[in-house]
Amino acid sequence: MTSLRFDDVACVRGGRLLFEGVSFALGGGEAALVTGPNGAGKSSLLRVAAGLLEATGTVERDGAVALADENAALDRELTLEAALRFWARLDRQADALASAMDAMDIAHLAPVPVRMLSTGQRKRAALTRTIASGAAIWLLDEPTNGLDTESVGRLERACAAHQAEGGIVVAATHLPLDLASVRQVPLA
Ligand SMILES: Nc1ncnc2c1ncn2[C@@H]1O[C@H](COP(=O)(O)OP(=O)(O)OP(=O)(O)O)[C@@H](O)[C@H]1O
């Protein structure tokens, strides 16, 4: 059963305590919104959840994790489709790519080199990579940054579908994001 649990988690970065006493537990179908001012540690919390950053306390995850942050890691010289296909093959999810591209409405951008994409298009591409990953736990860092209203709706529907299939969504954001079965994780 997919799950993500933080119990009394604290994180120190650059000699500074970012957060402490963070506890929450998510099961399949549930979501969390991580909020707080600039520098509060939202991105750091997602990296802790992904196992990329050390913290004290207990972090338990059951399920594969996909982190969508500002580093989309898409080859700028490849076409969008080729860049996404590279990751989909590695994730053994080649069959999932077309529907993920449709979900974020980027199929028409398939032949465009990644370096020519606009900010919002690049963001939609990064989210497509997560949607196509097959991972049960999505960690989304400022996922609506740069997205137009329609794209925010598309992302919300993709999250709803993922949760309906038993997935978990954790989003760090300053902007509203409508997620089902959501709890707040405020960082001071
Ligand atoms: N590699 C690093 N080494 C040391 N300190 C870092 C490192 N990366 C980030 N920090 C610091 O950790 C703190 C929290 O950063 P983080 O990116 O997690 O905050 P955030 O809440 O996501 O901020 P924002 O709302 O601006 O995106 C900041 O003070 C930042 O300078």
Side-chain angles (χ1 to χ4, degrees):
M1 175 76 173
T2 301
S3 63
L4 175 65
R5 189 170 76 88
F6 273 46
D7 188 17
D8 200 19
V9 174
C11 179
V12 173
R13 224 171 173 188
R16 193 166 75 87
L17 178 67
L18 293 186
F19 55 79
E20 61 181 337
V22 173
S23 301
F24 62 87
L26 300 173
E30 296 184 321
L33 276 181
V34 185
T35 57
N38 290 139
K42 302 180 295 299
S43 302
S44 302
L45 186 148
L46 291 187
R47 294 183 68 77
V48 169
L52 297 172
L53 185 62
E54 276 195 32
T56 60
T58 304
V59 178
E60 287 176 350
R61 67 188 91 70
D62 190 346
V65 167
L67 173 64
D69 60 11
E70 80 285 352
N71 177 19
L74 296 173
D75 188 329
R76 291 170 55 79
E77 301 309 318
L78 292 180
T79 66
L80 176 59
E81 178 163 27
L84 285 170
R85 192 160 297 285
F86 171 82
W87 287 112
R89 283 214 186 99
L90 273 187
D91 291 334
R92 300 183 184 282
Q93 292 290 322
D95 295 345
L97 184 55
S99 69
M101 290 178 78
D102 281 341
M104 288 313 295
D105 192 27
I106 57 168
H108 62 291
L109 300 170
V112 177
V114 168
R115 68 185 144 80
M116 290 187 187
L117 298 175
S118 74
T119 303
Q121 289 169 341
R122 210 183 307 270
K123 191 74 173 184
R124 279 149 63 191
L127 292 166
T128 298
R129 188 186 145 194
T130 296
I131 293 168
S133 69
I137 303 171
W138 291 0
L139 305 172
L140 311 178
D141 198 357
E142 299 289 356
T144 57
N145 245 4
L147 290 190
D148 57 34
T149 312
E150 191 193 319
S151 299
V152 173
R154 286 181 175 276
L155 173 62
E156 288 171 343
R157 288 194 291 280
C159 288
H162 180 61
Q163 292 177 245
E165 289 170 2
I168 285 174
V169 176
V170 181
T173 183
H174 294 285
L175 301 167
L177 184 66
D178 194 6
L179 297 174
S181 306
V182 70
R183 73 202 54 197
Q184 307 288 326
V185 180
L187 301 182

